Amino acid sequence: MAQVPQTFFDALAVRTWCSLALRALGGAREEIDAINVYPVADGDTGTNLYLTVESAATAVEAVFAGYETGCAEPSLADAVRAMAHGALIGARGNSGTILAQLLRGMAQVLAGTGEASSAASDSRADGPVLRLALRRAADSARQAVAHPVEGTVLTVASAAAHAAEEAGGDCRTVARAAYEGARTALAATPDQLGVLRRAGVVDAGGRGLVAVLGALVEAVTGEAVRERPGCAPAAGAAGARETGPGTDPASDADPALDATETAGADAAAGAGGPAFEVIYLLEADDAAVARLRDRLDALGDCLVVVGGDGLWNVHVHVDDAGAAVEAGVEAGRPYRIRITPLGHGEAPPGRERPSRAPAQRAVVAVVPGEGLAGLYGEAGATTVLARPGEPPASGELVQAVRRAHAREVVLLPNDAELRHTAAAAAEQARTEGIRVALIPTRSAVQGIAALAVHEPRRRFDEDVVQMTSAAGATRYAEVVVAERQSWTTAGICQAGDVLGLIDGDVAVIGTDVTATARTVLDRMLQSGGELVTLVVGDEAPDTVAARLETRVRESYLAVDTVVYHGGRQGALLLIGVE
């Protein structure tokens, strides 16, 4: 459907842009995934960009929905702030995080904040303001990356901003210039980054940005861009460069260039890189984030920290996922933590999927706290963090299944209320050719039991049976604080009471955390058990784990106890008995 052309940029244009960008990335997702070789050849850049823009578009739609009951319409500032915030909280992966900062940079100008306080009116922006917004976007994204590399989305963004600055006229002219500048820069990325040249592809993140800028052109001109940027730097399917006067057709790379300018970049995409990708939202002040940058930069690479005004999105590749999360805890309040194992390997030439070969089997698990996220991640699982009141959507679980990059996936929801969400995600993944088994774990301690017996070398069905059996043989409990007066299976509780839930039902109402936990544990062990698992939350008393360990040691012969720290997991304590 054709869009109405306009010479200015307003809230409706923002809404249209987000919708068109989402459609464009949806259509190009598989293509972009297939050319993803840098910084890690994990084949998910298109998916990450799509999910980032989906979050931005959802936030913008929510703003418009809030105005439906009245006669007023959202202002440009309302729309771009929502867009930037949605992208920030929904950013996925390296490229998605950078895109979120690009959108935030634009929003700062278009909303008339900071140095751009007089740049835009409250209702619309003209061509010069859009040029300034594109420049701010490119500059702020580059500043957010610890070690910028040319030949990436940063290069494409800078070229778009430069082309926009060279153009005069209204928003239509500026948008077209930015798009064409980005396309030209994208085609040149293989000349700047050796790993792209050898794979015969352009930069995946830059390809995604070109799609987003093409949507911007359509939003302000009403005309769809006619040429889609290709995935290879030249016409040859294997990515061979065009020859001409002074070009040696037998060689497509300058050895000196590969040995110097791109050595560090290629190392990030090659074998031996960090083992985990860690992403989390962080509530922290500027000073704490500055210290966090230094610490994370020393721990790993591909560090990108975006955001501001107290809310940040942190992305880094590290070997020690726990240390990266701990650094966030020291800086402020991290949440929505995602820890994903990374695969590394050089991409083959051509336009086939250049990422590593899929693993035979992987485990994807939903976990309630950053401590458990680290534990599961170190055991090789791909994790999705579920915060209290913020359960993951099926789309997030599907993305996690894709990121696991395996032919067979075992999915652990670890929450009874997530079973239908997980089932929907499993069904979607199956349509993509992935064999998925859903084990209906109701608690993270059941997931730990299942993960403990996971053996990828077994036949898939046998492995699933063993994991299901281990989870089913684990009784689970949790100790929480009542938020309000309520009727329970153990009687009436008051706000502030300590509740002990066994297998999902309230079994104990008390006033002391340790005493309530001890009663719960005694009831669970009455029917026997060989191993007690305790997952202690940040708000639990410091001595609760030690006292429960002593209780088990003194009262129950031949029963072992293992203790984990769950972080901000909602419950004060999780208990498993198997």
Side-chain angles (χ1 to χ4, degrees):
M1 179 178 178
Q3 305 299 321
V4 178
Q6 49 191 76
T7 58
F8 52 82
F9 200 69
D10 60 5
L12 182 58
V14 174
R15 184 187 198 183
T16 302
W17 180 29
C18 288
S19 175
L20 292 173
L22 189 62
R23 186 180 69 185
L25 288 172
R29 180 183 65 79
E30 292 184 2
E31 173 194 336
I32 297 172
D33 282 347
I35 63 170
N36 173 201
V37 300
Y38 179 82
V40 175
D42 49 2
D44 62 359
T45 292
T47 299
N48 288 337
L49 290 171
Y50 178 86
L51 291 171
T52 301
V53 172
E54 182 181 47
S55 182
T58 299
V60 172
E61 288 300 322
V63 168
F64 273 85
Y67 281 83
E68 287 181 354
T69 56
C71 298
E73 295 182 352
S75 66
L76 173 60
D78 292 333
V80 294
R81 285 172 181 152
M83 174 187 70
H85 181 74
L88 177 66
I89 64 174
R92 303 289 196 278
N94 188 71
S95 293
T97 307
I98 293 173
L99 178 61
Q101 188 67 6
L102 287 167
L103 296 179
R104 176 179 171 82
M106 291 190 70
Q108 288 176 324
V109 173
L110 296 172
T113 59
E115 297 175 5
S117 58
S118 60
S121 72
D122 191 51
S123 60
R124 63 180 61 180
D126 56 14
V129 173
L130 185 57
R131 289 199 297 271
L132 181 60
L134 290 166
R135 169 50 61 191
R136 176 70 67 82
D139 291 347
S140 63
R142 189 170 288 269
Q143 292 165 5
V145 177
H147 302 285
V149 173
E150 297 306 325
T152 65
V153 64
L154 299 176
T155 305
V156 176
S158 294
H162 179 73
E165 289 170 336
E166 294 294 312
D170 58 22
C171 288
R172 295 173 296 185
T173 304
V174 170
R176 287 193 185 101
Y179 172 71
E180 293 299 334
R183 287 187 66 241
T184 300
L186 177 66
T189 54
D191 294 324
Q192 299 170 293
L193 203 53
V195 67
L196 301 179
R197 177 169 51 255
R198 289 191 293 274
V201 297
V202 295
D203 179 66
R207 168 66 180 93
L209 179 58
V210 169
V212 172
L213 291 174
L216 177 63
V217 172
E218 185 173 356
V220 298
T221 67
E223 300 175 356
V225 293
R226 294 184 179 181
E227 292 186 62
R228 294 175 62 229
C231 292
R241 295 165 68 189
E242 294 179 359
T243 60
T247 300
D248 180 3
S251 173
D252 69 341
D254 181 347
L257 178 64
D258 282 345
T260 56
E261 293 182 12
T262 65
D266 290 353
F276 300 104
E277 177 185 61
V278 178
I279 305 175
Y280 50 79
L281 293 179
L282 177 70
E283 294 178 357
D285 59 36
D286 291 1
V289 169
R291 293 190 296 271
L292 176 67
R293 288 179 191 269
D294 291 338
R295 181 169 177 186
L296 292 180
D297 193 26
L299 285 174
D301 59 29
C302 296
L303 174 61
V304 185
V305 181
V306 304
D309 300 322
L311 180 61
W312 309 82
N313 191 306
V314 179
H315 170 281
V316 68
H317 293 176
V318 294
D319 282 321
D320 190 343
V325 174
E326 180 183 353
V329 173
E330 293 179 1
R333 188 178 81 88
Y335 59 104
R336 290 193 184 180
I337 301 168
R338 294 178 178 85
I339 300 175
T340 306
L342 292 171
H344 300 273
E346 192 73 33
R351 294 184 59 173
E352 298 300 320
R353 184 181 184 89
S355 60
R356 71 193 190 281
Q360 181 62 31
R361 192 173 307 159
V363 176
V364 173
V366 181
V367 293
E370 57 269 17
L372 283 176
L375 174 68
Y376 273 72
E378 290 171 5
T382 297
T383 61
V384 179
L385 190 71
R387 301 297 303 178
E390 299 177 1
S394 61
E396 292 183 74
L397 300 187
V398 172
Q399 187 218 13
V401 170
R402 292 173 182 147
R403 291 175 65 83
H405 199 50
R407 298 182 182 90
E408 300 168 342
V409 172
V410 179
L411 183 57
L412 306 175
N414 291 339
D415 186 335
E417 295 183 0
L418 285 178
R419 184 170 181 177
H420 295 299
T421 300
E427 187 61 31
Q428 173 60 38
R430 291 182 189 115
T431 66
E432 300 177 11
I434 304 171
R435 189 180 185 188
V436 182
L438 171 61
I439 298 179
T441 48
R442 296 171 176 267
S443 170
V445 292
Q446 289 189 324
I448 291 173
L451 197 57
V453 301
H454 170 53
E455 177 48 72
R457 288 173 294 185
R458 277 196 296 247
R459 289 178 53 249
F460 185 62
D461 291 340
E462 293 177 357
D463 197 28
V464 171
V465 168
Q466 291 298 321
M467 294 178 72
T468 302
S469 177
T474 302
R475 300 190 67 196
Y476 64 96
E478 61 181 318
V479 177
V480 300
V481 175
E483 296 181 356
R484 58 186 178 277
Q485 184 185 60
S486 179
W487 287 90
T488 76
T489 52
I492 300 175
C493 71
Q494 305 296 326
D497 282 348
V498 180
L499 307 180
L501 290 81
I502 299 177
D503 294 335
D505 294 323
V506 177
V508 181
I509 301 175
T511 57
D512 179 77
V513 173
T514 301
T516 302
R518 186 172 58 245
T519 302
V520 169
L521 186 56
D522 285 341
R523 292 192 183 184
M524 296 178 75
L525 287 172
Q526 284 176 357
S527 57
E530 298 176 355
L531 177 66
V532 172
T533 300
L534 304 176
V535 183
V536 184
D538 281 350
E539 297 182 1
D542 294 337
T543 60
V544 65
R547 291 186 178 184
L548 292 177
E549 283 187 282
T550 300
R551 175 69 173 177
V552 172
R553 184 172 58 254
E554 294 178 349
S555 304
Y556 301 94
L557 298 177
V559 177
D560 294 323
T561 304
V562 60
V563 179
Y564 301 111
H565 294 282
R568 297 177 176 89
Q569 61 184 19
L572 299 174
L573 181 70
L574 300 177
I575 303 173
V577 174
E578 53 185 297

